[in-house]
Amino acid sequence: MNKLIYSVLFLLFQCGSYCQEIKDNKIDSSFIHSFSLGWSNPLSYISTNMTNSSYNDSIFGILIDYQFLDEKKTINRFHLKFSPFYLNSNLTMSNFLISYTKGRTIYHKNKINFIHGLGAYYRCNIYRNKQVSGIPAKWSSDYYGLGLEYYWSLNYLLKNNFFATILMTINLGFHQDYDPTIFNNNNSQEYWTFKTANQQIFSLAIKKML
């Protein structure tokens, strides 16, 4: 409960600081579009593979990120990440998350800039079962969630408009879960809870300014 309260307070603080206009802020307007590709779950991947504590977090995660700068110098960001796994012709994309945020540059000097932003996200796990005996392949999903996403990124210029990026995201919203001790029509009872979803707090990526 304390973690949830602290997370709510943190997001409210970030909302306030984000919405406040900072007139002295120098925004880097040297790019119009950017594309990033990276590793969405380095910390959970390394820690869980060392301890074998979580199957989903032991799968390598992929990050895809597209940003563009509008006429108001706002950074519009479309963000996608998931952990794909293919076994016995069945595809699983665990921790699938897509988000849209608006942000701005809060610091820019020499080869370094810091960006933060706020927006909405939607997450789930996605499955595709193989075709069997004439039955077409079936798509399904579960463990849905939606809410607010706050992100912060550090970008370091390598060369030729390529940047190394460290990304931090915090997600807070309503998430689907199941209680295995309660059954409904032979299935575990579904319920929704308000919580953080921080399976992939830190990510690493390479960004290309276009």
Side-chain angles (χ1 to χ4, degrees):
M1 178 61 71
N2 289 335
K3 291 183 179 180
L4 178 59
I5 294 174
Y6 293 150
S7 299
V8 172
L9 292 176
F10 176 79
L11 275 178
L12 289 175
F13 172 78
Q14 294 299 338
C15 287
S17 62
Y18 173 76
C19 294
Q20 182 181 6
E21 184 68 26
I22 304 176
K23 295 182 180 180
D24 295 333
N25 179 35
K26 295 182 179 180
I27 298 176
D28 177 19
S29 58
S30 60
F31 78 97
I32 301 299
H33 305 272
S34 72
F35 178 81
S36 300
L37 183 65
W39 186 7
S40 67
N41 61 341
L43 295 183
S44 60
Y45 180 86
I46 294 171
S47 63
T48 54
N49 274 280
M50 292 177 62
T51 61
N52 294 320
S53 60
S54 173
Y55 172 75
N56 283 339
D57 288 336
S58 67
I59 303 172
F60 188 90
I62 297 173
L63 175 156
I64 302 173
D65 195 285
Y66 170 72
Q67 300 178 12
F68 70 92
L69 199 67
D70 62 23
E71 66 278 2
K72 296 181 180 180
K73 306 301 182 183
T74 300
I75 301 171
N76 296 266
R77 170 177 170 268
F78 295 91
H79 183 73
L80 173 67
K81 57 187 176 185
F82 57 92
S83 298
F85 183 71
Y86 193 76
L87 179 64
N88 298 327
S89 299
N90 295 322
L91 173 66
T92 299
M93 290 188 288
S94 62
N95 294 324
F96 180 91
L97 185 146
I98 185 169
S99 63
Y100 170 70
T101 57
K102 289 192 173 185
R104 63 183 61 202
T105 301
I106 54 178
Y107 176 83
H108 174 66
K109 186 176 182 181
N110 299 327
K111 294 185 176 183
I112 297 176
N113 70 5
F114 292 91
I115 298 172
H116 78 152
L118 187 70
Y121 75 92
Y122 172 81
R123 64 94 55 208
C124 64
N125 293 332
I126 298 177
Y127 313 93
R128 183 186 184 276
N129 299 324
K130 67 178 181 180
Q131 181 175 348
V132 179
S133 302
I135 300 175
K138 181 181 178 181
W139 290 88
S140 60
S141 57
D142 60 11
Y143 288 97
Y144 307 106
L146 70 164
L148 285 176
E149 175 175 287
Y150 170 76
Y151 81 94
W152 171 94
S153 67
L154 165 64
N155 304 282
Y156 179 80
L157 177 63
L158 300 173
K159 63 177 182 179
N160 298 330
N161 288 329
F162 280 95
F163 288 76
T165 299
I166 299 175
L167 175 67
M168 183 194 78
T169 58
I170 296 178
N171 302 99
L172 178 65
F174 292 95
H175 292 256
Q176 182 189 44
D177 210 336
Y178 297 91
D179 189 340
T181 64
I182 303 175
F183 291 92
N184 185 6
N185 295 326
N186 295 322
N187 295 317
S188 297
Q189 178 64 48
E190 173 191 352
Y191 68 95
W192 287 75
T193 182
F194 186 69
K195 64 179 183 179
T196 58
N198 294 332
Q199 306 99 319
Q200 302 170 345
I201 298 177
F202 291 99
S203 304
L204 303 174
I206 296 296
K207 176 188 290 186
K208 169 64 174 177
M209 298 297 189
L210 305 175

